[in-house]
Amino acid sequence: MPSQTLAQKLLAAASGRAAVAVGDIVTCRVDLAMFHDSSGPRRLKPMLESLGTGIWDRDKVVLVMDHYVPEADDESRKIVRIARDWAVEQALPHVYDSVGICHVVVPEHGHIRPGMLCVGGDSHSPTGGAFGAYMFGVGSTEMLGVVASGEIWIQVPQTLMMQWDGALAPGVTAKDMMLHMIGRFGMNGGRYQAVEFCGEAVRALSMQERMTLSNMSAEIGSQVGLVAPDDTTAAYLAQAGVGEPIDVARWQSDADAQAERYRFDASTLAPHVAAPHSPANSRPIADYEATPMQVAYIGACTGAKLEDLRAAASVLRGRRIAPGMSLMVAPASLRDQRQADSEGVMAALVDAGATLLPNSCGACSGYGGSIPEGANVIASTARNFQGRMGARTAQVYLASPYTVAAAAVAGHLIDPREMLQ
């Protein structure tokens, strides 16, 4: 048996083969198809009706309403109504309506497990790779094929192995790791290959931090962003209600598998900030002057999970945001918000001057929140493309929740480690 990377093992299993080689084109069985109100029913419903086919397996479909909720106008109400009506019409068993962002809600309900082959109707679907699953984003036409047949073809990718040695310093996060890698390799650095994150610094990360790594593999241009499962994975899934045993040992890259390898020292990593209008414009915080900010946004699937909210609170507790500063917080899921509330985290954010927004994609994708034209914005989102947050003249900087919270207090870019309590 030839040595295989985790990506190869996952694709071999999904295609019913003992092994696959880089460049092979394989037809894979899909274990899970996820889509949301923006990418799903409003596009799939008419195409499925035109084909005259139904859903191959309703139990393997998950629908999340997270982009156009809460409905702010007639267009939003129309889109969400289509999704809700279709869910009832199709008797879909897994529907999550207005309880958070799909990339957070789907894992927290135990839908993604090691060894699975999953597709998502969203470019940040690689988040599922944090669980040792091969998960990637597809467009509506590809999703139509999946929903109708339960299969998809994939060309086996080369793996880029990103090994992180050492340990992250307090106030430095997975978001900083990703911004560093994107700054080094660019947004096409993965060249639509598979990226696997490994090394002791990665193994030390929680599942939510691993999810941030895998999520932002999309920003490095990779099809998937994988983390091999371990006891941390199994413990998270057990808490999410997964009762079946997790075969951790099976889903590991062979030590001598062929891969393009890179090494990083986590202990020397500083907080990073990406300047407008690309995540690739990323540099250590020390490279920036005290650039003034008017808006701080803690939201999105990369920056408002429970641990992100805790990070922000560790900076904001006992402090107030700067005069003239607006701080918006949109927790990534209702479950995480409730837990944060029970810990006093939400109170710390509100006491500091934060405005709470609904559990949705919100301002990250330009649907919620209020980003003024011309404002300097620091956000915990994954992307800072021009106009993505709604205001085309806004200058959006990307950073970790620690760094966003610190800027909200100072009124300008600052190293968050200066404020950690």
Side-chain angles (χ1 to χ4, degrees), residues 6-15 28-34 56 59-62 94 106-107 109-119 125-126 128-136 152 154 224 226-227 229 237 242 244 246-247 250-251:
L6 174 56
Q8 288 174 292
K9 290 182 179 182
L10 291 166
L11 293 180
S15 60
C28 297
R29 298 179 305 277
V30 175
D31 296 306
L32 181 79
M34 179 277 293
W56 100 101
D59 198 49
K60 294 182 178 179
V61 167
V62 180
H94 307 301
V106 173
H109 285 86
H111 289 292
I112 304 172
R113 302 178 297 280
M116 293 178 70
L117 189 289
C118 311
V119 298
S125 297
F131 294 85
Y134 199 104
M135 187 168 186
F136 60 104
I152 191 169
I154 302 172
V224 292
L226 299 169
V227 179
L237 291 173
V242 177
E244 64 193 62
I246 304 299
D247 189 352
R250 180 180 178 186
W251 305 113

Side-chain angles (χ1 to χ4, degrees), residues 96-364:
Y96 301 99
D97 190 340
S98 306
V99 294
I101 303 169
C102 59
H103 309 299
V104 179
V105 170
V106 173
E108 74 182 13
H109 285 86
H111 289 292
I112 304 172
R113 302 178 297 280
M116 293 178 70
L117 189 289
C118 311
V119 298
D122 189 278
S123 59
H124 284 117
S125 297
T127 305
F131 294 85
Y134 199 104
M135 187 168 186
F136 60 104
V138 298
S140 297
T141 305
E142 283 182 299
M143 184 62 81
L144 172 66
V146 169
V147 170
S149 71
E151 296 183 337
I152 191 169
W153 69 265
I154 302 172
Q155 185 172 34
V156 180
Q158 171 78 11
T159 291
L160 281 63
M161 200 74 73
M162 306 295 193
Q163 179 173 331
W164 282 84
D165 303 314
L168 293 173
V172 184
T173 69
K175 183 67 167 288
D176 299 302
M177 296 166 74
M178 279 311 307
L179 289 177
H180 176 75
M181 287 184 279
I182 299 165
R184 173 174 169 178
F185 296 104
M187 292 199 70
N188 292 316
R191 300 184 295 282
Y192 295 98
Q193 303 296 300
V195 169
E196 182 176 342
F197 306 102
C198 60
E200 59 184 324
V202 173
R203 290 193 298 273
L205 295 176
S206 67
M207 284 310 305
Q208 289 199 336
E209 283 284 83
R210 296 178 189 187
M211 287 162 63
T212 296
L213 284 184
S214 295
N215 178 297
M216 291 189 68
S217 64
E219 271 62 61
I220 209 168
S222 178
Q223 184 183 55
V224 292
L226 299 169
V227 179
D230 56 14
D231 291 344
T232 300
T233 320
Y236 179 98
L237 291 173
Q239 190 173 26
V242 177
E244 64 193 62
I246 304 299
D247 189 352
V248 168
R250 180 180 178 186
W251 305 113
Q252 307 288 326
S253 288
D254 294 330
D256 57 347
Q258 183 181 2
E260 194 173 319
R261 299 178 184 273
Y262 299 92
R263 296 187 73 169
F264 307 87
D265 184 354
S267 65
T268 63
L269 186 68
H272 272 54
V273 174
H277 292 285
S278 170
N281 294 336
S282 174
R283 306 191 304 277
I285 185 72
D287 288 3
Y288 292 86
E289 296 179 354
T291 309
M293 295 288 144
Q294 290 82 48
V295 177
Y297 182 73
I298 295 172
C301 43
T302 55
K305 300 183 289 298
L306 176 60
E307 294 190 19
D308 301 316
L309 299 173
R310 288 169 174 164
S314 71
V315 172
L316 291 168
R317 191 171 282 112
R319 295 188 170 101
R320 290 284 300 177
I321 61 175
M325 170 66 72
S326 170
L327 170 61
M328 296 181 289
V329 178
S333 81
L334 180 59
R335 180 179 293 185
D336 278 357
Q337 180 174 342
R338 285 173 173 166
Q339 179 61 34
D341 194 40
S342 72
E343 296 176 7
V345 166
M346 300 310 299
L349 301 178
V350 172
D351 290 348
T355 299
L356 288 186
L357 299 178
N359 311 118
S360 68
C361 295
C364 174

